[in-house]
Each structure stands twice: as C-alpha cells, then as structure tokens.
C-alpha cells in the first residue's frame, strides 16, 4: 500500500462556500425539458406535467440553482413566446440545435418547477437576436410587483406575486462563431453593459453574469475577458466560465488529470478580473460563475447521425452521454476544484440536469435513474457546505501526456458550521490503494462518522435502466485515530467522502 498525507487546520480557510456552486442547468435542448423534467401523461407526472420520479432524484441530488433556458438555445429565443395560454404559444425553429421548440414549457412552468425542486432560478436573456428592450421587459415581467404593462401581464397570466429572479445571465457563449448572432468582444461588452444597466434600473437587486470565453482553448480566451470587462465592469457581478472534458483516446490517467487545466483556467480568469479592477482603480471585485461544466464526448458521433437524419424534430435524444465510472471520478475532482476555489467561484452549474449530458436519465413514458456522475455531486452538495479549508496534500505524483506532477491523491476539505469536517478525495492511482494520514490535531476531539466510497473494478462500468445500481456509493474501509491523526485506507481508483463530527 502506498502512503500520502493531508494536513488540515481549522483556521486555514480558503473562503465560505457559496451554496450556489451546487447549481445545475436546464436548456431547451434534446430531452432535457420534454421527456426529462416535463412529461404530462407520464405515470408519475403531477398536475403541471412535472415528472415525479425525476423530481425525487433532483431533490436528492441537492441542486441549489437552475440556469435556464440556455445555452445556445437562448440566442434565438423570444421570451414572450413562452408565456400565456399554452395553446396560443408559437412553435419555432430552433437554429441552435436545428429542432422545433413548441414552448409548451415556459417561464411560469420553469418558476413553478424550481420552487418544487427547492432551487433558485438563474435566467439567461437573449443577447444574440434580441437586446436591451427585451432585457428590460422581462425583468419588469418577472420582478416588478404590478401597475405596469409587463408586470400586469404576468398577473393576468396567473402569477400575482413577482417571480423575484435574482440571478441573470447576459446571453450565452457570445464569443463562439456557432452562436446565433455571435459578436466581437467589443460589440458584446457594449450590449451587455447597456442591457445590464437597464435591468438594474428596473430591479436594482438583480445580480448579473457576463459571458466569458466559451472555454479556455478559444483563440480569443483572455483577450475576450479583458475587452468585455473593460466595457461592463461597473455593471456586472460575475463572469462565466464553461468547460467540458472527454476521454476519446481512452487515456484514464490523462483524463483524470484534467482538473489541473480547470484550476489554471479559474486562476487565469481571476487574474484577468483583478487586472481590470486595478486598471479601473475600482474597489469592486468580480467573482466567477462556472455555469457549464461536466464530461461531454460519449454522444458526439450519435448526435451527428441524429442531426443528419431528423432536422427540425422535437425533443430528439441529443447529447445523451452515458457516463461511466471514470467519469464519476473526474466529476468528483471537478467538484473539489470548485470547492478549492470557493473564495472566487460563487456560482457553478453542472451541465445539464436530465438526459442532456446529465446526472439523471429517463425513458419517455418509462423509468428514471441516476448516472454514475450523480453521486459525487450529491455528496458534495450534501456535505460540502460551510468553509473550504486549505488541504495540504503530500502525495506521490505521475506524469501524463498533458501534465507533469499530477498528485495521485486529489483532496478538498470542508468545515461545516456545526464544527463537522468532511474530506473529499479521489485516488487517481489505477493500481495502488493508499494509506492516507490526515493530520487533524487543530480540531480538538473529533469523532469519525463514516467513509463513503465509489469504486468499480471496470472504469467503463455504467448505470442503465436495466441495471441502475451498477455504480453506486458504498461504505468504505474507514480508518483509525492515532495521536490526533486519522489513518484512512483509500482504494485504487476511488471517490471518497470521510466525515467527522465535533465531539
Ligand atoms: O450544454 C450544451 C451546450 O454547450 C450549451 O448550449 C452551450 O452553451 C455549450 O456550448
């Protein structure tokens, strides 16, 4: 057995963990909405058509915010299409995914669904084909109490109380040439500033997320953030980051090291935000919204085929990645990367929620089940609340194609408000179990509560409708105390949650 250690101190605090880092994302794409969260006629559907089996899985997952309605979809979306009587809402061609959107599920349904799921709304406005006028109108519709055209229309449509949407995204991935009405950094920075300005005039309590680069490999990454923030620094509150990873060459050690890139991405964006702050002599800090992240590659080939065959279809099975055990390990490491950057990452959304690159899968008219990646998210959301601690990890390291000095042991620690302590940890070693020594002397008396692990002998093992419990959490081997240290055993290739409470 190999050895590694982690030194923890209750006073080595990185920052408060904003519960909004356990957010999710629902886009009008594929079967995320239709056949996912919404399926009237399904045997578990409620009076709104919300699937009850999905709702139960969503609640257990513990999502805190839901970004909606896109994604690429939002850049061609007219929000007014999604309100009023369902039978008079128009069906539109969606040029983002080459499908047809019926608007049967719209703004009011989204708000009701969020309330039922105990999650806060995070609404994206269209800064592709639309602009300042639509932006101010939807804030008036959603958040103004009454006595004006749009707020009274909301009341007429059945919602007397304002929706009180606090978090708003100013468009989506506007640096990407694939985006409907893609813009240059200057064009986007200007419209984001003007739209954001009037949105805050209508409701000064809203918080705004401006689009950063679509990902860190974009040729314009860095320059985009700089130019956009130059235009709208005083208006916005957060800048977005998006990142997906894949393992198309079947290189597990290299795949599990991808969070080295994610961490660098975050640190680079923080540096850019702070450089603009310095240049502007501003006292305001821009924080980060990592509002799309996940593994995404399994479904690429299938999607090319579907799109070729059925242009303009409805609720096609697009982006339906079936996740395996190694994906769950990377997702665990991505969650730990967010926790370790809790001082600046205040919002994050795993993309997406159901069927579309999602922790939850469904069959139309049939079952719903949890994919492998569901479980690390559930653990992080459940036990990763409080303060992120600086975990000083000392571990053997490895080199892979893109990175050198990758620690086999990846860890993050969280101090709960009740004095509890949780250590999350991924053992990236394909062959060796580790004896992990946790130095807990600064915490006084702690009792060991439980060790949860996820492990499977096959890195490609998946959960399916027929076999939904193939990759699930189990009780781990735990450990023992020795002179203020806790010695735990963490098996080769495993996700671990070690929980302690104050005596
Ligand atoms: O989440 C799927 C897509 O990925 C989103 O629509 C877009 O924002 C990103 O490119």
């Amino acid at each position: 057995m190999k050895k590694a250690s982690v030194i923890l101190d209750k006073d080595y605090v990185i920052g408060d963990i904003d519960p909004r880092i356990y957010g999710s994302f629902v886009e009008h794409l594929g079967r995320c909405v239709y056949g996912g969260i919404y399926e009237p006629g399904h045997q578990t559907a409620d009076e709104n058509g919300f699937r009850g089996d999905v709702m139960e899985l969503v609640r257990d997952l513990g999502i805190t915010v839901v970004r909606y309605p896109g994604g690429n979809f939002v850049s061609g979306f007219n929000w007014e299409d999604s309100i009023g009587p369902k039978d008079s809402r128009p069906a539109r061609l969606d040029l983002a995914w080459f499908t047809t959107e019926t608007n049967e599920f719209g703004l009011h349904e989204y708000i009701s669904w969020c309330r039922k799921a105990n999650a806060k709304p995070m609404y994206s406005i269209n800064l592709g084909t639309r602009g300042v006028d639509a932006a101010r109108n939807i804030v008036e519709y959603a958040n103004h109490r009454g006595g004006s055209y749009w707020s009274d229309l909301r009341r007429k449509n059945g919602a007397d109380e304002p929706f009180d949407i606090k978090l708003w995204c100013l468009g989506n991935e506007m640096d990407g040439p694939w985006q409907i009405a893609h813009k240059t950094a200057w064009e986007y920075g200007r419209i984001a500033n003007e739209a954001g300005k009037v949105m805050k005039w209508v409701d000064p309590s809203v918080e705004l997320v401006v689009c950063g680069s679509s990902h860190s490999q974009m040729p314009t990454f860095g320059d985009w953030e700089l130019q956009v923030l130059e235009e709208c620094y005083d208006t916005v509150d957060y800048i977005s980051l998006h990142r997906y990873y894949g393992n198309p060459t079947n290189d597990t050690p290299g795949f599990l090291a991808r969070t080295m890139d994610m961490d660098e991405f975050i640190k680079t964006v923080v540096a850019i935000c702070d450089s603009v702050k310095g240049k502007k002599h501003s006292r305001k800090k821009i924080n980060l919204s990592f509002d799309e992240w996940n593994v995404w590659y399994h479904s690429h080939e299938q999607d090319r085929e579907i799109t070729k065959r059925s242009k303009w279809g409805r609720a096609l099975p697009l982006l339906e990645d079936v996740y395996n055990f190694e994906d769950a390990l990377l997702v665990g490491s991505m969650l730990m990367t967010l926790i370790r950057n809790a001082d600046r990452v205040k919002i994050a959304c795993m993309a997406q929620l159901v069927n579309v690159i999602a922790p939850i899968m469904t069959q139309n008219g049939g079952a719903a089940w949890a994919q492998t990646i569901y479980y690390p998210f559930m653990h992080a959301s459940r036990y990763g609340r409080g303060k992120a601690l600086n975990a000083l990890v000392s571990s053997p390291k490895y080199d892979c194609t893109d990175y050198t000095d990758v620690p086999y042991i990846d860890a993050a620690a969280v101090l709960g408000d009740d004095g509890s302590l949780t250590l999350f940890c991924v053992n990236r070693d394909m062959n060796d179990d580790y004896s992990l020594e946790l130095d807990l002397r600064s915490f006084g008396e702690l009792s060991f509560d439980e060790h949860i692990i996820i492990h499977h002998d096959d890195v490609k093992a998946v959960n399916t409708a027929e076999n939904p419990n193939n990759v699930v959490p189990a009780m781990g081997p735990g450990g023992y105390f020795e002179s203020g240290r806790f010695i735990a055993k963490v098996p080769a290739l495993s996700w671990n949650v070690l929980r302690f409470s104050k005596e």
Side-chain angles (χ1 to χ4, degrees):
M1 188 148 45
K2 286 190 188 162
K3 285 190 171 170
S5 62
V6 184
I7 301 175
L8 294 171
D9 189 299
K10 63 176 174 33
D11 295 318
Y12 290 180
V13 173
I14 297 169
D16 287 331
I17 297 172
D18 191 317
R20 295 175 302 173
I21 69 167
Y22 303 118
S24 185
F25 175 30
V26 168
E27 176 167 4
H28 279 264
L29 158 57
R31 297 192 306 123
C32 190
V33 173
Y34 305 108
I37 61 173
Y38 176 81
E39 191 178 345
H42 187 272
Q43 57 181 7
T44 68
D46 68 7
E47 64 289 358
N48 302 303
F50 303 159
R51 274 183 73 149
D53 52 354
V54 172
M55 182 61 80
E56 209 173 300
L57 282 161
V58 168
R59 282 198 181 138
D60 279 353
L61 186 60
I63 59 168
T64 50
V65 295
V66 183
R67 182 169 172 255
Y68 172 90
N72 297 338
F73 169 79
V74 82
S75 297
F77 173 61
N78 300 327
W79 71 268
E80 305 87 338
D81 292 347
S82 78
I83 57 171
K86 285 192 183 193
D87 51 12
S88 46
R89 295 182 198 168
R92 301 256 188 212
L93 296 188
D94 164 25
L95 301 186
W97 302 104
F98 298 100
T99 53
T100 302
E101 172 54 50
T102 61
N103 286 299
E104 190 181 325
F105 184 98
L107 177 58
H108 289 244
E109 292 76 26
Y110 162 64
I111 295 295
S112 308
W113 188 89
C114 283
R115 287 179 181 154
K116 206 165 172 184
N118 301 323
K120 295 268 181 262
M122 177 180 187
Y123 196 84
S124 309
I125 61 157
N126 174 355
L127 286 186
T129 59
R130 306 294 294 277
V132 177
D133 197 40
R136 67 169 177 156
N137 291 345
I138 184 160
V139 178
E140 182 183 320
Y141 185 91
N143 288 4
H144 196 67
R145 180 152 289 285
S148 68
Y149 175 78
W150 290 108
S151 58
D152 286 345
L153 186 58
R154 179 198 71 239
R155 297 175 74 171
K156 187 169 151 241
N157 286 336
D160 215 32
E161 288 300 307
F163 294 147
D164 198 24
I165 303 175
K166 289 285 175 238
L167 256 184
W168 297 78
C169 302
L170 300 171
N172 177 70
E173 295 189 349
M174 299 307 303
D175 63 324
W178 59 86
Q179 206 65 222
I180 303 166
H182 156 236
K183 293 182 169 42
T184 66
W186 181 81
E187 287 166 342
Y188 172 65
R190 286 289 303 132
I191 196 168
N193 191 58
E194 292 306 311
K197 189 176 83 182
V198 297
M199 289 165 82
K200 284 191 168 175
W201 283 352
V202 177
D203 180 355
S205 74
V206 299
E207 290 193 298
L208 304 175
V209 183
V210 73
C211 293
S213 298
S214 303
H215 54 81
S216 48
Q217 257 59 51
M218 291 295 287
T220 47
F221 170 57
D223 211 30
W224 171 273
E225 278 76 1
L226 264 177
Q227 284 193 49
V228 166
L229 286 176
E230 286 274 357
E231 297 303 325
C232 64
Y233 195 89
D234 293 336
T235 303
V236 304
D237 304 284
Y238 306 93
I239 187 159
S240 74
L241 295 82
H242 291 179
R243 199 68 176 101
Y244 298 97
Y245 297 109
N247 187 13
T249 56
N250 199 16
D251 163 18
T252 301
F255 176 61
L256 295 181
R258 291 281 167 223
T259 44
M260 306 281 279
D261 171 77
M262 185 178 179
D263 190 66
E264 199 166 297
F265 183 21
I266 291 172
K267 299 218 161 40
T268 307
V269 176
V270 166
I272 295 170
C273 290
D274 292 350
S275 75
V276 180
K277 175 176 190 266
K279 201 172 158 200
K280 287 189 174 284
H281 302 193
S282 173
R283 301 181 69 176
K284 174 180 173 186
K285 200 196 269 180
I286 300 288
N287 282 318
L288 275 47
S289 172
F290 212 125
D291 48 40
E292 283 187 38
W293 67 267
N294 203 347
V295 172
W296 177 12
Y297 74 107
H298 297 284
S299 60
H300 287 340
E301 191 46 49
Q302 184 181 315
D303 288 341
R304 273 189 282 275
E305 287 303 309
I306 295 175
T307 322
K308 239 191 280 165
R309 274 201 319 266
S310 11
K311 226 175 168 187
W312 313 126
R314 293 180 182 183
L316 300 173
L318 292 169
L319 280 68
E320 300 209 354
D321 275 43
V322 175
Y323 291 113
N324 59 34
F325 167 55
E326 68 181 7
D327 297 330
L329 294 180
L330 185 68
V331 161
S333 279
M334 293 180 89
L335 286 156
M336 290 193 287
T337 307
L338 297 170
I339 291 171
R340 286 192 297 257
N341 287 285
D343 54 332
R344 296 304 290 268
V345 179
K346 299 294 173 188
I347 305 158
C349 305
M350 184 197 237
Q352 299 190 3
L353 184 60
V354 189
N355 292 324
V356 174
I357 43 173
I360 299 169
M361 288 296 281
T362 69
Q363 291 168 324
N364 292 340
W369 65 99
Q371 295 229 57
T372 62
I373 61 169
Y374 177 95
Y375 296 106
F377 188 103
M378 181 186 83
H379 294 151
S381 177
R382 201 170 278 181
Y383 306 120
R385 308 283 182 112
K387 291 183 181 354
L389 295 181
N390 199 349
L392 295 176
V393 178
S394 177
S395 154
K397 296 178 175 165
Y398 66 98
D399 294 342
C400 56
T401 322
D402 292 328
Y403 311 98
T404 50
D405 290 331
V406 182
Y408 278 112
I409 295 295
D410 189 19
V414 176
L415 181 65
D417 294 340
D418 55 358
S420 62
L421 173 70
T422 301
L423 185 90
F424 299 106
C425 159
V426 166
N427 180 357
R428 293 173 168 133
D429 198 315
M430 311 251 314
N431 306 306
D432 287 299
D433 298 344
Y434 276 65
S435 165
L436 185 64
E437 181 187 286
L438 310 180
D439 186 338
L440 305 176
R441 285 173 297 171
S442 80
F443 295 88
E445 289 298 306
L446 282 180
S447 60
F448 171 61
D449 293 340
E450 61 175 346
H451 180 186
I452 308 169
I453 63 162
I454 306 177
H455 171 77
H456 200 288
D457 289 339
D458 177 6
V459 288
K460 305 297 178 191
V462 299
N463 292 342
T464 59
E466 296 72 34
N467 190 7
N469 298 321
N470 190 25
V471 183
V472 289
M475 278 303 128
Y480 56 91
F481 279 106
E482 197 178 74
S483 323
R485 292 161 174 96
F486 187 82
I487 320 294
K489 182 182 166 195
V490 291
L493 278 192
S494 60
W495 160 255
N496 300 265
V497 186
L498 287 151
R499 300 183 54 231
F500 302 87
S501 53
K502 195 86 194 129
E503 287 211 323

